[in-house]
Amino acid sequence: MATFMGRIDNFRMVSPMATVEVDQDLCVGDQICASMEPEIFEMRDDGLAYVVDGMGELEDEAMIEAAKEAADACPVDAITVSE
């Protein structure tokens, strides 16, 4: 078994990260995002889409990709996924 005798400075795991937002001024409430990705987007009583609490910042690559797919499907480009 090998033994490491050195030191690692400034090492950290960097996860992909994306911020997800819905612009309610643009949203027309067609529910495509919420039907595609209900764990990320929800419809509220005002008939508009919102990001589910706690899902505004994503680190999981599959979830980021899912949010991007929902953003691409939005007919009015109300969803922004920024990495």
Side-chain angles (χ1 to χ4, degrees):
M1 178 193 278
T3 303
F4 179 72
M5 300 298 287
R7 181 176 125 180
I8 300 175
D9 289 323
N10 298 324
F11 177 78
R12 63 185 174 126
M13 291 286 284
V14 178
S15 298
M17 176 111 137
T19 301
V20 183
E21 298 175 301
V22 177
D23 184 340
Q24 283 77 33
D25 290 332
L26 296 176
C27 181
V28 293
D30 67 3
Q31 302 182 22
I32 291 175
C33 59
S35 65
M36 288 178 68
E37 301 302 334
E39 53 284 323
I40 302 173
F41 303 99
E42 65 184 359
M43 302 304 293
R44 294 199 184 156
D45 291 339
D46 61 2
L48 302 177
Y50 290 81
V51 176
V52 172
D53 288 341
M55 299 302 285
E57 291 185 350
L58 302 175
E59 293 183 0
D60 180 79
E61 287 184 51
M63 293 296 279
I64 293 169
E65 189 58 34
K68 288 179 180 179
E69 289 174 9
D72 289 342
C74 180
V76 294
D77 296 325
I79 300 169
T80 304
V81 181
S82 304
E83 292 188 81

Coordinates of all heavy atoms in Angstrom, one line a residue:
M1 N 0.8 -1.2 0.0 CA 0.0 0.0 0.0 C 0.9 1.2 0.0 O 1.8 1.3 0.8 CB -0.9 0.0 1.2 CG -1.8 1.2 1.3 SD -2.6 1.5 2.9 CE -4.0 0.4 2.7
A2 N 0.6 2.2 -0.9 CA 1.4 3.4 -1.0 C 0.9 4.4 0.1 O -0.3 4.5 0.4 CB 1.2 4.0 -2.4
T3 N 1.8 5.2 0.5 CA 1.4 6.3 1.5 C 1.8 7.6 0.9 O 2.9 7.8 0.4 CB 2.2 6.1 2.8 OG1 2.0 4.8 3.3 CG2 1.9 7.1 3.8
F4 N 0.9 8.5 1.0 CA 1.1 9.9 0.5 C 1.7 10.7 1.7 O 1.0 10.8 2.7 CB -0.2 10.5 0.0 CG 0.0 11.9 -0.5 CD1 0.6 12.2 -1.6 CD2 -0.5 13.0 0.3 CE1 0.8 13.5 -2.1 CE2 -0.4 14.3 -0.2 CZ 0.3 14.5 -1.4
M5 N 2.8 11.3 1.5 CA 3.5 12.0 2.5 C 3.5 13.5 2.3 O 4.0 14.3 3.1 CB 5.0 11.6 2.7 CG 5.1 10.1 3.0 SD 4.4 9.7 4.6 CE 5.6 10.4 5.7
G6 N 2.9 14.0 1.2 CA 2.9 15.4 0.9 C 1.6 16.1 1.5 O 0.9 15.6 2.3
R7 N 1.4 17.2 0.9 CA 0.2 18.1 1.4 C -0.5 18.7 0.2 O 0.2 19.0 -0.8 CB 0.9 19.1 2.3 CG 0.0 20.1 2.9 CD 0.8 21.0 3.8 NE 0.5 22.3 3.3 CZ 1.0 23.4 3.8 NH1 1.9 23.3 4.8 NH2 0.7 24.5 3.4
I8 N -1.8 18.7 0.3 CA -2.5 19.3 -0.8 C -3.1 20.6 -0.3 O -3.9 20.6 0.7 CB -3.6 18.4 -1.3 CG1 -3.1 17.1 -1.8 CG2 -4.5 19.1 -2.4 CD1 -4.1 16.1 -2.2
D9 N -2.8 21.7 -1.0 CA -3.3 23.0 -0.6 C -4.3 23.5 -1.6 O -4.2 23.2 -2.8 CB -2.2 24.1 -0.6 CG -1.2 23.9 0.6 OD1 -1.7 23.5 1.7 OD2 0.0 24.1 0.4
N10 N -5.3 24.2 -1.2 CA -6.3 24.7 -2.0 C -7.0 23.7 -2.9 O -7.3 24.0 -4.1 CB -5.7 25.9 -2.9 CG -5.2 27.0 -2.0 OD1 -5.8 27.3 -1.0 ND2 -4.1 27.6 -2.5
F11 N -7.2 22.5 -2.4 CA -7.9 21.5 -3.2 C -9.4 21.5 -2.8 O -9.7 21.5 -1.6 CB -7.4 20.1 -2.9 CG -8.1 19.0 -3.6 CD1 -7.9 18.8 -5.0 CD2 -9.0 18.3 -3.0 CE1 -8.6 17.8 -5.6 CE2 -9.7 17.3 -3.6 CZ -9.5 17.0 -5.0
R12 N -10.3 21.5 -3.8 CA -11.7 21.5 -3.5 C -12.4 20.9 -4.7 O -12.0 21.0 -5.8 CB -12.3 22.8 -3.1 CG -12.2 23.8 -4.2 CD -12.7 25.2 -3.8 NE -12.5 26.1 -4.9 CZ -13.4 26.9 -5.4 NH1 -14.7 26.8 -4.9 NH2 -13.2 27.7 -6.4
M13 N -13.4 20.1 -4.4 CA -14.3 19.6 -5.4 C -15.2 20.7 -5.9 O -15.8 21.4 -5.1 CB -15.1 18.5 -4.9 CG -14.4 17.2 -4.6 SD -13.8 16.3 -6.0 CE -15.3 15.6 -6.5
V14 N -15.2 20.9 -7.2 CA -16.1 21.9 -7.8 C -17.2 21.3 -8.5 O -17.0 20.5 -9.4 CB -15.3 22.9 -8.7 CG1 -16.2 23.9 -9.3 CG2 -14.1 23.5 -8.0
S15 N -18.4 21.5 -8.0 CA -19.6 20.9 -8.6 C -20.1 21.9 -9.7 O -20.0 23.1 -9.5 CB -20.7 20.7 -7.6 OG -20.3 19.8 -6.7
P16 N -20.8 21.4 -10.7 CA -21.4 22.3 -11.6 C -22.5 23.0 -10.8 O -23.1 22.5 -9.9 CB -22.0 21.4 -12.7 CG -22.0 20.1 -12.2 CD -21.0 20.0 -11.1
M17 N -22.8 24.3 -11.2 CA -23.8 25.0 -10.5 C -24.6 25.9 -11.5 O -24.0 26.5 -12.3 CB -23.2 25.9 -9.4 CG -24.2 26.7 -8.7 SD -24.4 26.2 -7.0 CE -24.4 27.7 -6.2
A18 N -25.9 25.9 -11.3 CA -26.7 26.7 -12.1 C -27.8 27.4 -11.3 O -28.3 26.8 -10.3 CB -27.3 25.9 -13.3
T19 N -28.1 28.6 -11.7 CA -29.2 29.3 -11.0 C -30.4 29.3 -12.0 O -30.3 29.5 -13.2 CB -28.8 30.8 -10.8 OG1 -27.6 30.8 -10.0 CG2 -29.9 31.6 -10.1
V20 N -31.6 29.0 -11.4 CA -32.8 28.8 -12.2 C -33.8 29.9 -11.8 O -34.0 30.1 -10.6 CB -33.5 27.4 -12.0 CG1 -34.7 27.3 -12.9 CG2 -32.4 26.3 -12.3
E21 N -34.3 30.6 -12.7 CA -35.3 31.7 -12.5 C -36.4 31.7 -13.5 O -36.2 31.3 -14.6 CB -34.6 33.1 -12.6 CG -33.5 33.3 -11.6 CD -32.8 34.6 -11.8 OE1 -32.2 34.8 -12.9 OE2 -32.8 35.4 -10.8
V22 N -37.6 32.1 -13.0 CA -38.8 32.3 -13.9 C -39.2 33.7 -13.8 O -39.4 34.2 -12.7 CB -40.0 31.4 -13.5 CG1 -41.2 31.7 -14.4 CG2 -39.6 29.9 -13.5
D23 N -39.3 34.4 -14.9 CA -39.7 35.8 -15.0 C -41.3 35.8 -15.1 O -41.8 35.5 -16.1 CB -39.1 36.5 -16.2 CG -39.5 37.9 -16.2 OD1 -40.4 38.4 -15.6 OD2 -38.7 38.7 -16.9
Q24 N -41.9 36.1 -14.0 CA -43.4 36.0 -13.9 C -44.0 37.1 -14.8 O -45.2 37.0 -15.2 CB -43.9 36.1 -12.5 CG -43.8 34.8 -11.7 CD -42.4 34.6 -11.2 OE1 -41.7 35.5 -10.9 NE2 -42.1 33.3 -11.1
D25 N -43.2 38.1 -15.2 CA -43.8 39.2 -16.1 C -43.9 38.6 -17.5 O -44.7 39.1 -18.3 CB -42.9 40.4 -16.1 CG -43.0 41.2 -14.8 OD1 -44.0 41.1 -14.1 OD2 -42.0 41.8 -14.4
L26 N -43.1 37.6 -17.8 CA -43.2 37.0 -19.1 C -44.0 35.7 -19.2 O -44.6 35.3 -20.2 CB -41.8 36.6 -19.6 CG -40.8 37.7 -19.9 CD1 -39.4 37.2 -20.2 CD2 -41.3 38.7 -21.0
C27 N -44.1 35.0 -18.0 CA -44.8 33.7 -18.0 C -46.3 33.9 -18.4 O -47.0 34.8 -17.9 CB -44.7 33.2 -16.5 SG -45.5 31.6 -16.3
V28 N -46.8 32.9 -19.2 CA -48.2 32.9 -19.6 C -48.9 31.8 -19.0 O -50.1 31.6 -19.3 CB -48.3 32.9 -21.2 CG1 -47.8 34.2 -21.8 CG2 -47.6 31.7 -21.8
G29 N -48.3 31.0 -18.1 CA -48.9 30.0 -17.4 C -49.4 28.8 -18.1 O -50.4 28.1 -17.8
D30 N -48.6 28.4 -19.2 CA -49.0 27.2 -20.0 C -48.7 25.9 -19.3 O -49.1 24.8 -19.8 CB -48.5 27.3 -21.4 CG -47.0 27.2 -21.4 OD1 -46.3 27.0 -20.4 OD2 -46.4 27.3 -22.5
Q31 N -47.9 25.9 -18.2 CA -47.6 24.8 -17.4 C -46.6 23.8 -18.0 O -46.5 22.7 -17.5 CB -48.9 24.1 -17.0 CG -49.8 25.0 -16.2 CD -51.1 24.2 -15.7 OE1 -51.1 23.0 -15.6 NE2 -52.1 25.0 -15.5
I32 N -46.0 24.1 -19.1 CA -45.1 23.1 -19.7 C -43.9 22.8 -18.8 O -43.6 21.6 -18.6 CB -44.6 23.6 -21.1 CG1 -45.7 23.6 -22.1 CG2 -43.4 22.8 -21.6 CD1 -45.3 24.3 -23.5
C33 N -43.4 23.8 -18.2 CA -42.2 23.6 -17.3 C -42.6 22.7 -16.1 O -41.9 21.7 -15.8 CB -41.6 24.9 -16.9 SG -42.7 26.0 -16.0
A34 N -43.7 23.0 -15.5 CA -44.1 22.2 -14.3 C -44.5 20.8 -14.7 O -44.3 19.9 -13.9 CB -45.3 23.0 -13.6
S35 N -45.1 20.6 -15.9 CA -45.4 19.3 -16.3 C -44.2 18.5 -16.7 O -44.1 17.3 -16.4 CB -46.4 19.3 -17.4 OG -45.9 19.8 -18.6
M36 N -43.2 19.1 -17.2 CA -41.9 18.4 -17.6 C -41.1 18.1 -16.4 O -40.5 17.0 -16.3 CB -41.1 19.3 -18.6 CG -41.7 19.4 -19.9 SD -40.6 20.5 -21.0 CE -39.1 19.5 -21.1
E37 N -40.9 19.1 -15.5 CA -40.0 19.0 -14.3 C -40.7 19.5 -13.0 O -40.4 20.5 -12.5 CB -38.8 19.8 -14.6 CG -38.0 19.3 -15.8 CD -37.6 17.9 -15.8 OE1 -37.4 17.3 -14.7 OE2 -37.4 17.3 -16.9
P38 N -41.7 18.7 -12.5 CA -42.4 19.2 -11.3 C -41.5 19.3 -10.1 O -41.9 20.0 -9.1 CB -43.5 18.1 -11.1 CG -43.0 16.9 -11.8 CD -42.1 17.4 -13.0
E39 N -40.3 18.7 -10.1 CA -39.5 18.8 -8.9 C -38.7 20.2 -8.9 O -38.2 20.6 -7.9 CB -38.5 17.7 -8.7 CG -37.7 17.3 -9.9 CD -38.4 16.6 -11.1 OE1 -39.3 15.7 -10.8 OE2 -38.1 16.8 -12.2
I40 N -38.7 20.8 -10.1 CA -38.0 22.1 -10.2 C -39.0 23.3 -10.3 O -38.8 24.4 -9.8 CB -37.1 22.1 -11.5 CG1 -36.1 21.0 -11.4 CG2 -36.4 23.5 -11.6 CD1 -35.2 20.8 -12.6
F41 N -40.1 23.1 -11.0 CA -41.1 24.2 -11.3 C -42.5 23.8 -10.8 O -42.9 22.6 -10.8 CB -41.2 24.4 -12.8 CG -39.9 24.8 -13.4 CD1 -39.1 23.8 -14.1 CD2 -39.4 26.0 -13.4 CE1 -37.9 24.1 -14.7 CE2 -38.1 26.4 -13.9 CZ -37.4 25.4 -14.6
E42 N -43.2 24.8 -10.3 CA -44.5 24.6 -9.8 C -45.4 25.8 -10.3 O -45.0 26.9 -10.5 CB -44.6 24.6 -8.3 CG -44.2 25.9 -7.6 CD -44.1 25.8 -6.1 OE1 -44.4 24.7 -5.5 OE2 -43.7 26.8 -5.4
M43 N -46.7 25.5 -10.4 CA -47.7 26.5 -10.7 C -48.3 26.9 -9.4 O -48.6 26.1 -8.5 CB -48.8 25.9 -11.6 CG -48.2 25.3 -12.9 SD -47.2 26.5 -13.9 CE -48.5 27.7 -14.4
R44 N -48.5 28.2 -9.3 CA -49.1 28.8 -8.0 C -50.5 29.3 -8.3 O -51.0 29.3 -9.5 CB -48.2 29.8 -7.4 CG -46.9 29.2 -7.0 CD -46.2 30.1 -6.0 NE -44.9 29.5 -5.6 CZ -43.9 30.2 -5.2 NH1 -44.0 31.5 -5.0 NH2 -42.7 29.6 -4.9
D45 N -51.2 29.8 -7.3 CA -52.6 30.2 -7.4 C -52.8 31.3 -8.4 O -53.9 31.5 -8.9 CB -53.1 30.6 -6.0 CG -53.2 29.4 -5.1 OD1 -53.3 28.3 -5.5 OD2 -53.3 29.7 -3.8
D46 N -51.8 32.1 -8.7 CA -51.9 33.2 -9.6 C -51.8 32.7 -11.1 O -51.9 33.5 -12.0 CB -50.9 34.3 -9.4 CG -49.4 33.8 -9.5 OD1 -49.2 32.7 -9.8 OD2 -48.5 34.7 -9.3
G47 N -51.6 31.4 -11.3 CA -51.6 30.8 -12.6 C -50.2 30.9 -13.3 O -50.1 30.5 -14.4
L48 N -49.2 31.3 -12.5 CA -47.9 31.4 -13.1 C -46.9 30.4 -12.6 O -47.2 29.8 -11.5 CB -47.4 32.9 -12.8 CG -48.2 34.0 -13.3 CD1 -47.6 35.3 -12.9 CD2 -48.4 33.9 -14.8
A49 N -45.9 30.2 -13.3 CA -44.8 29.2 -12.9 C -43.8 29.9 -12.0 O -43.5 31.1 -12.1 CB -44.1 28.6 -14.1
Y50 N -43.3 29.1 -11.0 CA -42.3 29.5 -10.1 C -41.3 28.4 -9.9 O -41.6 27.2 -10.1 CB -42.9 29.8 -8.7 CG -43.7 31.1 -8.7 CD1 -45.1 31.1 -9.2 CD2 -43.2 32.3 -8.3 CE1 -45.8 32.2 -9.2 CE2 -44.0 33.5 -8.3 CZ -45.3 33.4 -8.8 OH -46.1 34.6 -8.8
V51 N -40.1 28.7 -9.5 CA -39.1 27.7 -9.1 C -39.5 27.2 -7.7 O -39.8 28.0 -6.8 CB -37.7 28.3 -9.1 CG1 -36.7 27.3 -8.7 CG2 -37.3 28.8 -10.5
V52 N -39.5 25.9 -7.6 CA -39.8 25.3 -6.3 C -38.8 25.8 -5.3 O -37.6 25.9 -5.6 CB -39.8 23.7 -6.4 CG1 -39.9 23.1 -5.0 CG2 -40.9 23.2 -7.3
D53 N -39.3 26.1 -4.1 CA -38.4 26.5 -3.0 C -37.2 25.5 -2.8 O -37.5 24.3 -2.8 CB -39.1 26.6 -1.7 CG -40.1 27.8 -1.6 OD1 -39.9 28.8 -2.5 OD2 -41.0 27.9 -0.8
G54 N -36.0 26.0 -2.8 CA -34.8 25.2 -2.6 C -34.3 24.7 -3.9 O -33.2 24.1 -3.9
M55 N -34.9 25.0 -5.1 CA -34.4 24.5 -6.3 C -33.9 25.7 -7.2 O -33.6 25.4 -8.4 CB -35.5 23.8 -7.1 CG -36.1 22.6 -6.4 SD -34.8 21.3 -6.0 CE -34.6 20.6 -7.6
G56 N -33.7 26.8 -6.7 CA -33.2 28.0 -7.4 C -31.7 27.8 -7.8 O -31.2 28.5 -8.7
E57 N -31.0 27.0 -7.0 CA -29.6 26.8 -7.3 C -29.4 25.3 -7.4 O -29.6 24.6 -6.4 CB -28.7 27.4 -6.2 CG -28.6 28.9 -6.2 CD -27.7 29.5 -5.2 OE1 -27.1 28.7 -4.4 OE2 -27.4 30.7 -5.3
L58 N -29.0 24.8 -8.6 CA -28.8 23.4 -8.8 C -27.4 23.0 -8.9 O -26.6 23.8 -9.6 CB -29.6 23.0 -10.1 CG -31.1 23.3 -10.1 CD1 -31.6 22.9 -11.5 CD2 -31.8 22.5 -9.0
E59 N -27.0 21.9 -8.4 CA -25.6 21.4 -8.5 C -25.6 20.1 -9.3 O -24.5 19.7 -9.8 CB -25.0 21.2 -7.1 CG -24.8 22.5 -6.4 CD -24.1 22.4 -5.1 OE1 -23.8 21.2 -4.7 OE2 -23.9 23.4 -4.4
D60 N -26.7 19.3 -9.3 CA -26.7 18.1 -10.0 C -26.8 18.3 -11.5 O -27.7 19.0 -12.0 CB -27.9 17.3 -9.5 CG -28.0 15.9 -10.1 OD1 -27.3 15.0 -9.7 OD2 -28.9 15.8 -11.1
E61 N -25.9 17.6 -12.2 CA -25.8 17.8 -13.7 C -27.1 17.4 -14.4 O -27.6 18.1 -15.3 CB -24.7 17.1 -14.3 CG -23.3 17.7 -14.0 CD -22.2 17.0 -14.7 OE1 -22.3 16.8 -15.9 OE2 -21.2 16.7 -14.0
A62 N -27.7 16.3 -13.9 CA -29.0 15.9 -14.5 C -30.1 16.9 -14.3 O -30.9 17.2 -15.2 CB -29.4 14.5 -14.0
M63 N -30.2 17.5 -13.1 CA -31.2 18.5 -12.8 C -30.9 19.8 -13.6 O -31.9 20.4 -14.0 CB -31.2 18.8 -11.3 CG -31.7 17.6 -10.4 SD -33.3 17.1 -10.7 CE -34.2 18.3 -9.8
I64 N -29.7 20.1 -13.8 CA -29.4 21.3 -14.6 C -29.8 21.1 -16.0 O -30.5 22.0 -16.6 CB -27.9 21.6 -14.5 CG1 -27.5 22.1 -13.1 CG2 -27.5 22.7 -15.5 CD1 -26.0 22.2 -12.9
E65 N -29.6 19.9 -16.5 CA -30.0 19.6 -17.9 C -31.5 19.6 -18.0 O -32.1 20.1 -19.0 CB -29.4 18.3 -18.3 CG -29.6 18.0 -19.8 CD -29.0 19.0 -20.7 OE1 -27.9 19.6 -20.4 OE2 -29.6 19.2 -21.8
A66 N -32.2 19.1 -17.0 CA -33.6 19.0 -17.0 C -34.2 20.5 -17.0 O -35.2 20.8 -17.7 CB -34.2 18.3 -15.8
A67 N -33.6 21.3 -16.2 CA -34.1 22.7 -16.1 C -33.8 23.4 -17.5 O -34.7 24.2 -17.9 CB -33.3 23.5 -15.0
K68 N -32.7 23.1 -18.1 CA -32.4 23.7 -19.4 C -33.5 23.2 -20.5 O -33.9 24.0 -21.3 CB -31.0 23.3 -19.9 CG -29.9 24.1 -19.2 CD -28.6 23.6 -19.7 CE -27.4 24.3 -19.0 NZ -26.1 23.8 -19.5
E69 N -33.8 21.9 -20.4 CA -34.8 21.4 -21.3 C -36.2 22.1 -21.1 O -36.9 22.4 -22.1 CB -34.9 19.9 -21.2 CG -33.7 19.2 -21.7 CD -33.7 17.7 -21.5 OE1 -34.8 17.2 -21.0 OE2 -32.7 17.1 -21.7
A70 N -36.6 22.3 -19.9 CA -37.8 23.0 -19.6 C -37.7 24.5 -20.1 O -38.7 25.0 -20.7 CB -38.1 23.0 -18.1
A71 N -36.6 25.1 -19.9 CA -36.4 26.5 -20.4 C -36.5 26.5 -21.9 O -37.2 27.4 -22.5 CB -35.1 27.0 -20.0
D72 N -36.0 25.5 -22.6 CA -36.1 25.5 -24.1 C -37.5 25.3 -24.5 O -37.9 25.8 -25.6 CB -35.2 24.4 -24.6 CG -33.7 24.7 -24.5 OD1 -33.3 25.9 -24.3 OD2 -32.9 23.7 -24.6
A73 N -38.3 24.6 -23.7 CA -39.7 24.3 -24.1 C -40.6 25.5 -23.8 O -41.7 25.5 -24.3 CB -40.2 23.1 -23.4
C74 N -40.2 26.4 -23.0 CA -41.0 27.6 -22.6 C -41.3 28.4 -23.9 O -40.4 28.9 -24.5 CB -40.4 28.4 -21.6 SG -41.3 29.8 -21.1
P75 N -42.6 28.6 -24.2 CA -42.9 29.3 -25.5 C -42.6 30.8 -25.4 O -42.5 31.5 -26.5 CB -44.4 29.1 -25.7 CG -44.9 28.8 -24.3 CD -43.8 28.1 -23.6
V76 N -42.4 31.4 -24.2 CA -42.2 32.8 -24.1 C -40.8 33.1 -23.5 O -40.5 34.3 -23.1 CB -43.3 33.5 -23.3 CG1 -44.6 33.5 -24.1 CG2 -43.5 32.9 -21.9
D77 N -39.9 32.1 -23.4 CA -38.6 32.3 -22.8 C -38.6 33.0 -21.5 O -37.8 33.8 -21.2 CB -37.7 33.1 -23.8 CG -37.5 32.3 -25.1 OD1 -37.4 31.1 -25.1 OD2 -37.4 33.0 -26.2
A78 N -39.5 32.5 -20.6 CA -39.6 33.1 -19.2 C -38.6 32.5 -18.3 O -38.5 33.0 -17.2 CB -41.0 32.9 -18.7
I79 N -38.0 31.4 -18.7 CA -37.1 30.6 -17.7 C -35.7 30.9 -18.1 O -35.3 30.8 -19.3 CB -37.4 29.1 -17.8 CG1 -38.8 28.8 -17.4 CG2 -36.4 28.3 -16.9 CD1 -39.3 27.4 -17.7
T80 N -34.8 31.2 -17.1 CA -33.4 31.4 -17.3 C -32.7 30.4 -16.5 O -32.9 30.3 -15.3 CB -33.0 32.8 -16.9 OG1 -33.8 33.8 -17.6 CG2 -31.5 33.1 -17.2
V81 N -31.7 29.7 -17.1 CA -30.8 28.8 -16.4 C -29.4 29.4 -16.7 O -28.9 29.3 -17.8 CB -30.9 27.4 -16.9 CG1 -30.0 26.5 -16.1 CG2 -32.4 26.9 -16.8
S82 N -28.8 29.9 -15.6 CA -27.5 30.5 -15.7 C -26.4 29.7 -15.0 O -26.6 29.4 -13.8 CB -27.5 31.9 -15.1 OG -28.5 32.7 -15.7
E83 N -25.3 29.3 -15.7 CA -24.3 28.6 -15.1 C -23.1 29.5 -14.8 O -22.9 30.5 -15.3 CB -23.8 27.5 -16.0 CG -24.9 26.4 -16.2 CD -24.4 25.2 -16.9 OE1 -23.7 24.3 -16.3 OE2 -24.7 25.1 -18.1

